[in-house]
Every structure is written in structure tokens, then in C-alpha cells.
Amino acid sequence: MDSNIGIWIVLLVLIIFVFIVLVRAVRIIPQARAGVVERLGKYQRTLNPGLTILIPFVDRLLPLLDLREQVVSFPPQPVITEDNLVVSIDTVIYFQVTDPRAATYEIANYIQAVEQLTTTTLRNVVGGLNLEEALTSRDQINGQLRGVLDEATGRWGIRVSRVELKAIDPPHSIQDSMEKQMRADRDRRAAILTAEGVKQSQILTAEGERQAAILKAEGDAKAAILRADGESQAIQKVFDAIHKGNPTQKLLAYQYLQTLPKLADGSANKLWIIPSEVGEALKGIGSVLGTATPDGSSPDGADGGPGEGRAGSTRGLL
């Protein structure tokens, strides 16, 4: 009975031992992971994703390495610029393990090493720039950081794909000065734009007034020409009508006397000069009126001499 119990115990121990050996011998490596195997403390091989068999108690599998691209954000680092101003810079590193063996044996802690290398390189790069250049040259700083880090981390089995400056924070006093400068610059640009707008408006207004004056002058000239043409045609028609009607000297004298009062019309007429032809016209009219009297008598009637009759007629006309 005791021997049977001993056999069962031995079998149970063997089963447990075999199970442990199988567990330690059979390993499954996930995708995008890599494992470094040491045999008796010496590097033996690198395990790729999939099923693999190890020799128990002889081979030792080190912690798996992540082969995916990783992102590490480092805390703000104080950096002194060329003009002796301290700025705080946050950096973000994108890197990937390309050689698991080198990442395991060439560097003890590659994340810490990348952080320290980034800090020192950043101070060297930004130390040669002034504040304004540091704020406006992010692409240049990123390129220099990436070149230095990629060269230094290549032998560690790490590839740095990108380096980004997340924030560059100058001192608060410098920020206030920069804000005032930016505000003054914006006000200056606004004043310049306003002045340019006023200038353009005045130019357009003057141009419009000039064009309007030109058009008005052209219109007045055309109107004067048309009026002159109309008056010329009217005079020509009157002249033709007069010659066709063949008026007598008596009719012309009478029309001349009717036109004389119109010469004094208008508030601007202060002096009325009677032309010498008026006397001749009056003489003609007097002779016409003296040829006949209302009672049918001769102008040399018995009631008075010829001179008296003509004088009375002339006085009545005047």
C-alpha cells in the first residue's frame, strides 16, 4: 500500500515537472514584439512573432520589446538663448526599435538616454539662436534635433522618425513685451490700411469729379453748338421770310420801334443808349402818318401849317 502511494507521488511530481518544462519550452511571441534569448547567459538569438521552442533551464527569454513606433513626451526643459533669455521648451519624440539585440545590450535604458540626448542637443541648438529666431524656426530646430538623435541612437538599435517642439514658453515679462509690440504693430498696420483707404477714396472722388466736370463741359459745349445752330437756322429762316415777303421801309421802321423797348428789359440794364437810327425811323414814321389824317384832310390843311400837323403827329407817337 505504501509503495503504491509512493509511485503515485513520483508520477505526480513527474507530471508537474513535465508541465513546467513544457511551459518553459514553448513560447508564443505576439505580433510587433521581439524577444531576446540567452543561452547560459550569452546572447543566442532573437525571437520573431509566432511559436518557438526553448530549452528549459538552459535558454532564458528576456522581457519582450515593442517594435511599434512609440511617442514619448519629455517635461519642459529650461534653455538659454543667445540673447541670454531662459525659455521653457517641451519636446515630443517619435522613435522605433529596429534592432532588439542592440537595444538590449548597447544601452541600459534607451528611453532615458533619448531624453537626456534630446535635452543636451536642444540646448546646443537653441543656444545659438536668439528668442525671435527660436520662436520662428521650429522646423529648423526639429530638423537639427532629428539629425543628431538619429545619428546617435542608430547604434542603439533605435530610429528617431520625428522630433516636435510642443511648446516654447518665454518668461512672462518677455511675453508682456511681445504682446505690446504685437499690439503696436497691429495698430500701425491698421492705421496704414486706413490711410490707404482714405487715399484711394479721395483719388476715386477726385477722378469722379474730374470726369463729371469733363462730361459737363462737353455737354455744355454741345448744347451751345446746338443753340447756335438753332439760332442760325432761325435767323436764316427769318431772313428768307423777310426777303420773300419784300417788306417796305415803312414796315421795317415800325418793327424797329417795337423792338426798342425790349433792349431795356432785364435788371442788369442800367443805361439805355438810343442809336442814331431812331431819328431816321421817327422821320419815316412821321412821313407815313403825315400823308393822311383821320378826317381825310391834307397834311397841309387850312387849320394849320404842314409843320404843325407833323409835329403834333410826332408828339402823339412819342
Side-chain angles (χ1 to χ4, degrees):
M1 187 68 179
D2 293 337
S3 60
N4 292 332
I5 294 175
I7 293 173
W8 282 108
I9 292 174
V10 172
L11 289 176
L12 182 59
V13 171
L14 289 176
I15 292 173
I16 294 174
F17 179 76
V18 170
F19 177 77
I20 293 174
V21 169
L22 291 176
V23 169
R24 293 179 63 90
V26 178
R27 294 296 180 89
I28 298 177
I29 306 300
Q31 184 66 33
R33 300 291 192 279
V36 176
V37 176
E38 292 181 347
R39 179 167 295 174
L40 300 177
K42 184 179 179 182
Y43 171 78
Q44 200 271 331
R45 69 180 187 276
T46 300
L47 299 182
N48 295 321
L51 179 65
T52 185
I53 303 298
L54 301 178
I55 300 176
F57 308 107
V58 176
D59 294 340
R60 183 170 71 94
L61 180 63
L62 299 180
L64 299 180
L65 297 176
D66 194 343
L67 300 181
R68 295 173 296 179
E69 188 172 10
Q70 303 180 45
V71 181
V72 178
S73 178
F74 299 136
Q77 301 293 329
V79 180
I80 301 176
T81 62
E82 187 180 15
D83 46 0
N84 296 325
L85 294 176
V86 180
V87 294
S88 180
I89 301 179
D90 298 349
T91 55
V92 179
I93 305 296
Y94 297 80
F95 69 93
Q96 185 179 12
V97 176
T98 57
D99 188 354
R101 179 182 179 279
T104 302
Y105 296 107
E106 297 296 335
I107 189 71
N109 188 339
Y110 55 83
I111 294 180
Q112 184 179 3
V114 170
E115 178 182 1
Q116 296 300 322
L117 183 59
T118 301
T119 301
T120 55
T121 305
L122 184 62
R123 288 176 179 174
N124 292 333
V125 173
V126 178
L129 304 174
N130 55 38
L131 179 59
E132 184 177 358
E133 293 174 346
L135 294 175
T136 58
S137 304
R138 292 197 175 193
D139 293 338
Q140 178 182 354
I141 297 174
N142 294 339
Q144 293 183 8
L145 284 176
R146 182 183 177 279
V148 173
L149 291 175
D150 197 18
E151 181 180 358
T153 58
R155 60 187 183 87
W156 299 341
I158 298 173
R159 180 178 63 85
V160 177
S161 58
R162 294 180 62 187
V163 179
E164 297 292 341
L165 300 183
K166 187 165 60 175
I168 300 178
D169 299 325
H172 294 290
S173 59
I174 300 300
Q175 292 182 8
D176 295 338
S177 300
M178 293 174 61
E179 290 178 358
K180 292 180 181 179
Q181 181 180 0
M182 293 174 61
R183 191 180 302 111
D185 187 60
R186 286 195 296 268
D187 294 341
R188 181 180 62 83
R189 289 199 299 267
I192 292 174
L193 292 177
T194 303
E196 288 290 338
V198 173
K199 176 183 175 183
Q200 292 296 329
S201 176
Q202 293 177 351
I203 291 174
L204 293 177
T205 301
E207 184 68 21
E209 292 177 353
R210 187 178 70 85
Q211 293 292 336
I214 292 174
L215 294 177
K216 185 176 182 303
E218 292 177 354
D220 294 341
K222 291 181 179 179
I225 292 173
L226 293 176
R227 284 196 298 268
D229 291 341
E231 292 176 358
S232 174
Q233 293 177 7
I235 293 173
Q236 184 66 34
K237 289 183 178 180
V238 171
F239 181 80
D240 294 341
I242 290 173
H243 281 274
K244 287 180 181 180
N246 193 16
T248 64
Q249 185 67 26
K250 301 175 182 179
L251 179 61
L252 293 177
Y254 181 73
Q255 291 294 329
Y256 185 78
L257 288 177
Q258 284 185 335
T259 308
L260 286 178
K262 297 181 181 179
L263 297 176
D265 289 345
S267 59
N269 294 330
K270 302 300 181 181
L271 181 63
W272 184 29
I273 300 174
I274 300 176
S276 60
E277 289 82 357
V278 174
E280 297 297 332
L282 292 177
K283 291 180 180 181
I285 293 174
S287 63
V288 172
L289 295 176
T291 56
T293 59
D295 55 359
S297 61
S298 159
D300 296 332
D303 294 337
E308 184 181 358
R310 289 193 298 270
S313 298
T314 305
R315 285 198 300 271
L317 179 61
L318 293 175

